[in-house]
Amino acid sequence: MPTDHTARPPLSVLDLAPVPEGSTPGDALRNTLDLARHAERLGYRRYWLAEHHNMTGIASAATPVVIGHVAAGTATIRVGAGGIMLPNHSPLVIAEQFGTLEALFPGRIDLGLGRAPGTDQMTLRALRRDPSGAEQFPQDGLELQALLGPVQPGQGGQAVPGAGSNGPLGILGSSLFGAQLAAAFGLPYAFASHFAPDALMRALQVYRENFTPSAQLDRPYAMVGVNVVAAETDAEARRLFTSAQQSFARLIRGTRGQLPPPIDDIESFWSPLEKAQAMNMLSCSFVGSAETVRRGLDSFLAETGADEIMVASAIHDHAARVRSYEILAEVHGALRAAA
């Protein structure tokens, strides 16, 4: 997946299927499909969903099911996991699930793999997984890759469907470990800078400097997560962004919940310490009118040299979220034309 850096890299959607306050997970999943259809029409490259458990504000826990829902309701956009938390599952189960998706929607399914549990320790036990399973992530990744590859002579267990599908894999991370693993395996690397940006530049450097070509990929391919909240004016976008700011402050407090509606005065909601922590986590965010977002995104692309941008937008009102992605698509078109 080489990128021509004389043009701007493609945009994709990272959707956590947020459940806004006052709505249900069913509403969130219907909004997910509607947003995916808009993203397809607007020219976004792929639409990723993420595995999280025991979070009342996220409806994508059964990630392969939601991927099938979105893929069945769209026609051309790539759909996948950003990502599946592999320590929560056996490689065989994931190979069968994504082999089935690939059989149903050939050439459209992505499988990004993460090492974190995507939940708390209590829920991890409820998943019947060993907390030390993350240590097996490299070996489990290789096993999964083999299960999706050609059946070898004398091979016992097979993933059916899955074997021989050779579905593309990617590694997700927010630390140098994922960067090193993706480089060693010769796989695309997606960095979770939309909520954990601290190691971004160092991880990109490690990944690019240590990359080993593979059958899937002949050069590094770095995907970088950002938050974008775009609206007609800077003031309107900043108000919409207060939903994400409240959510991150609640995360720091340990009081997660559904996605709150925007508020007029975020400063009255959080303490100075909560603000500092939350805004550090949200530092890779572009909030404002089309022109404001354009300037910020252009600078970010120049700094990171990203091959693809994965865009998350935690906006309470679904129509405003769709509009944000529309504005971003317009900005991206202008950037490409300028390049």
Side-chain angles (χ1 to χ4, degrees), residues 311-335:
V311 181
S313 296
I315 298 174
H316 183 270
D317 178 72
H318 178 62
R321 187 161 74 126
V322 171
R323 180 59 185 145
S324 178
Y325 278 103
E326 288 177 344
I327 293 171
L328 179 59
E330 294 165 4
V331 167
H332 186 250
L335 288 173

Side-chain angles (χ1 to χ4, degrees), residues 229-252:
V229 177
E232 307 309 322
T233 67
D234 287 351
E236 181 183 354
R238 286 194 297 267
R239 185 174 188 278
L240 293 173
F241 188 51
T242 61
S243 292
Q245 291 172 316
Q246 291 175 79
S247 291
F248 275 74
R250 288 178 176 180
L251 179 65
I252 293 164

Side-chain angles (χ1 to χ4, degrees), residues 188-275:
Y189 180 53
F191 191 89
S193 39
H194 60 292
F195 74 92
D198 289 348
L200 171 61
M201 297 308 297
R202 178 62 179 144
L204 292 177
Q205 180 183 11
V206 167
Y207 172 62
R208 289 165 175 155
E209 289 180 352
N210 295 280
F211 182 83
T212 301
S214 67
Q216 179 177 327
L217 196 62
D218 64 355
R219 68 179 75 175
Y221 192 87
M223 307 162 79
V224 179
V226 301
N227 302 287
V228 174
V229 177
E232 307 309 322
T233 67
D234 287 351
E236 181 183 354
R238 286 194 297 267
R239 185 174 188 278
L240 293 173
F241 188 51
T242 61
S243 292
Q245 291 172 316
Q246 291 175 79
S247 291
F248 275 74
R250 288 178 176 180
L251 179 65
I252 293 164
R253 295 172 186 175
T255 57
R256 292 171 175 163
Q258 296 180 332
L259 184 66
I263 55 178
D264 292 328
D265 182 13
I266 187 64
E267 300 304 330
S268 65
F269 178 82
W270 54 18
S271 69
L273 180 58
E274 289 170 343
K275 176 181 179 178

Side-chain angles (χ1 to χ4, degrees), residues 92-167:
L92 176 61
V93 167
I94 298 304
E96 290 171 340
Q97 290 176 349
F98 280 80
T100 300
L101 288 167
E102 179 63 27
L104 290 169
F105 311 104
R108 293 182 58 206
I109 302 299
D110 296 329
L111 175 50
L113 302 172
R115 184 170 66 120
T119 190
D120 55 82
Q121 291 299 310
M122 179 189 71
T123 307
L124 185 63
R125 290 192 293 272
L127 289 166
R128 302 295 192 267
R129 303 303 291 171
D130 185 341
S132 67
E135 299 173 8
Q136 293 293 117
F137 182 61
Q139 294 87 343
D140 285 349
L142 289 172
E143 181 180 344
L144 175 59
Q145 195 171 39
L147 286 166
L148 294 172
V151 177
Q152 301 300 314
Q155 180 176 329
Q158 297 181 28
V160 183
S165 64
N166 297 303

Side-chain angles (χ1 to χ4, degrees), residues 1-72:
M1 296 184 289
T3 293
D4 176 5
H5 285 288
T6 63
R8 287 299 185 269
L11 298 176
S12 293
V13 177
L14 175 60
D15 180 14
L16 301 184
V19 185
E21 288 183 4
S23 65
T24 67
D27 296 327
L29 294 171
R30 284 183 284 274
N31 288 342
T32 280
L33 179 55
D34 183 68
L35 179 60
R37 287 170 170 163
H38 281 281
E40 183 173 73
R41 175 181 59 82
L42 292 166
Y44 286 83
R45 172 168 287 188
R46 64 187 92 236
Y47 197 98
W48 276 8
L49 295 129
E51 177 186 352
H52 294 278
H53 300 281
N54 192 30
M55 295 186 184
T56 58
I58 296 176
S60 55
T63 314
V65 178
V66 185
I67 290 170
H69 172 63
V70 171

